[in-house]
């Protein structure tokens, strides 16, 4: 039960419904939520630090071993039935949450928004999964959407420039764009203008 993990939590049976390892949502949850939890433990953080140190020292085998251990701890889920893989159909997770209001579900924001009359979002560090809080980066379990274009392919593979122009148009990613209906949280207008111009000019990314 949850109170066995933290006495402040209710004595409900643990049941978490989520996507399988093949899902991008699962990857994002592991990276943002589960790794976020790992960072609270010094001994786990040390594994990652030691992996980087081993790589820098040229010990690739040890670096890989430590990296795999870190990933197993921070990305692995329980296999005792407490985490239930509900496939990649988020509608199914919503239905199961309705059947068991004490369960937790892992899925994209668009399904929460579409079903606010049936389910509720969970606070993370006291922050609710709301449109404005996700847009300004305050909700911890959210991240930007990236896509990459290889400039060498432009002019050789038809449609790349057109795709960039369409995706970065207000009609697509603007505040009233059709991607918002699919769950995209648009960036502030100024940022959209900057990235649209960069896409138009094929400006190389800087890391």
């Amino acid at each position: 039960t949850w109170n066995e993990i933290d006495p402040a939590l209710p004595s409900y049976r643990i049941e978490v419904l989520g996507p399988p390892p093949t899902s991008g949502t699962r990857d994002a949850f592991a990276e943002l939520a589960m790794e976020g939890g790992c960072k609270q433990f010094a001994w786990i953080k040390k594994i990652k630090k030691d992996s980087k140190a081993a790589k820098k020292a040229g010990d690739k085998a040890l670096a890989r071993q430590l990296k795999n251990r870190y990933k197993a701890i921070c990305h692995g889920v329980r296999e005792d039935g407490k985490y239930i893989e509900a496939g990649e159909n988020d509608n199914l997770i919503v239905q199961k949450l309705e059947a068991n209001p004490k369960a937790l579900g892992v899925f994209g924001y668009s399904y929460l928004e579409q079903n606010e009359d049936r389910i509720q979002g969970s606070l993370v560090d006291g922050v609710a999964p709301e449109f404005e809080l996700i847009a300004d980066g305050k909700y911890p379990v959210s991240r930007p959407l990236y896509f990459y274009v290889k400039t060498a392919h432009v002019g050789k593979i038809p449609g790349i420039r057109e795709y960039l122009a369409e995706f970065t148009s207000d009609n697509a990613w603007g505040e009233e764009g059709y991607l918002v209906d699919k769950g995209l949280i648009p960036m502030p207008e100024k940022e959209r203008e900057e990235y649209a111009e960069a896409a138009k000019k094929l400006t190389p990314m800087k890391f």
Side-chain angles (χ1 to χ4, degrees), residues 119-137:
I119 55 176
Q120 67 179 38
S122 296
L123 301 180
V124 177
D125 293 338
V127 182
E130 297 175 355
F131 190 97
E132 292 78 11
L133 297 175
I134 295 173
D136 64 15

Side-chain angles (χ1 to χ4, degrees), residues 3 40 45 62 106 112 130 132 141 149 163 172 191 201:
N3 67 330
Q40 305 302 312
K45 288 172 65 177
L62 178 59
V106 179
L112 172 62
E130 297 175 355
E132 292 78 11
V141 190
V149 174
Y163 176 81
E191 285 187 51
K201 293 181 178 179

Side-chain angles (χ1 to χ4, degrees), residues 11-93:
S11 57
Y12 297 155
R13 182 171 63 89
I14 296 173
E15 182 176 328
V16 180
L17 304 156
T22 54
S23 166
T25 301
R26 171 79 167 264
D27 288 340
F29 184 75
E31 177 186 330
L32 298 168
M34 296 173 68
E35 279 202 42
C38 279
K39 291 175 182 177
Q40 305 302 312
F41 296 89
W43 68 273
I44 300 179
K45 288 172 65 177
K46 188 175 184 300
I47 296 173
K48 189 172 186 178
K49 183 179 179 181
D50 290 347
S51 175
K52 290 181 178 179
K55 184 178 180 180
K56 188 175 182 180
D59 193 339
K60 294 182 179 179
L62 178 59
R64 189 180 307 110
Q65 179 185 351
L66 291 170
K67 183 179 180 180
N68 290 340
R69 185 186 176 202
Y70 177 83
K71 188 173 182 179
I73 294 171
C74 297
H75 288 207
V77 297
R78 294 173 61 161
E79 298 179 353
D80 58 357
K82 304 301 183 184
Y83 181 89
I84 302 169
E85 291 184 4
E88 298 194 38
N89 183 350
D90 288 350
N91 280 318
L92 179 60
I93 296 178

Side-chain angles (χ1 to χ4, degrees), residues 53-206:
K55 184 178 180 180
K56 188 175 182 180
D59 193 339
K60 294 182 179 179
L62 178 59
R64 189 180 307 110
Q65 179 185 351
L66 291 170
K67 183 179 180 180
N68 290 340
R69 185 186 176 202
Y70 177 83
K71 188 173 182 179
I73 294 171
C74 297
H75 288 207
V77 297
R78 294 173 61 161
E79 298 179 353
D80 58 357
K82 304 301 183 184
Y83 181 89
I84 302 169
E85 291 184 4
E88 298 194 38
N89 183 350
D90 288 350
N91 280 318
L92 179 60
I93 296 178
V94 171
Q95 292 170 13
K96 289 182 176 292
L97 289 175
E98 277 195 298
N100 180 11
K102 295 178 181 178
L104 293 177
V106 179
F107 49 87
Y109 172 75
S110 61
Y111 284 87
L112 172 62
E113 187 179 40
Q114 293 166 17
N115 296 279
E116 286 181 325
D117 58 332
R118 302 163 64 190
I119 55 176
Q120 67 179 38
S122 296
L123 301 180
V124 177
D125 293 338
V127 182
E130 297 175 355
F131 190 97
E132 292 78 11
L133 297 175
I134 295 173
D136 64 15
K138 291 181 180 177
Y139 187 65
V141 190
S142 62
R143 67 175 181 182
L145 172 66
Y146 296 100
F147 69 89
Y148 304 88
V149 174
K150 191 172 183 178
T151 54
H153 290 167
V154 177
K156 296 181 180 179
I157 299 177
I160 290 183
R161 280 191 180 276
E162 292 80 1
Y163 176 81
L164 284 171
E166 175 61 24
F167 196 99
T168 57
S169 69
D170 277 344
N171 186 48
W173 73 354
E175 292 182 2
E176 302 296 330
Y178 56 77
L179 292 177
V180 175
D181 294 334
K182 301 297 182 182
L184 180 76
I185 307 293
M187 292 183 291
E189 183 177 1
K190 185 177 180 180
E191 285 187 51
R192 293 200 306 272
E193 290 175 353
E194 291 175 359
Y195 282 106
E197 185 65 19
K200 183 178 180 180
K201 293 181 178 179
L202 299 177
T203 304
M205 294 184 65
K206 295 181 180 180

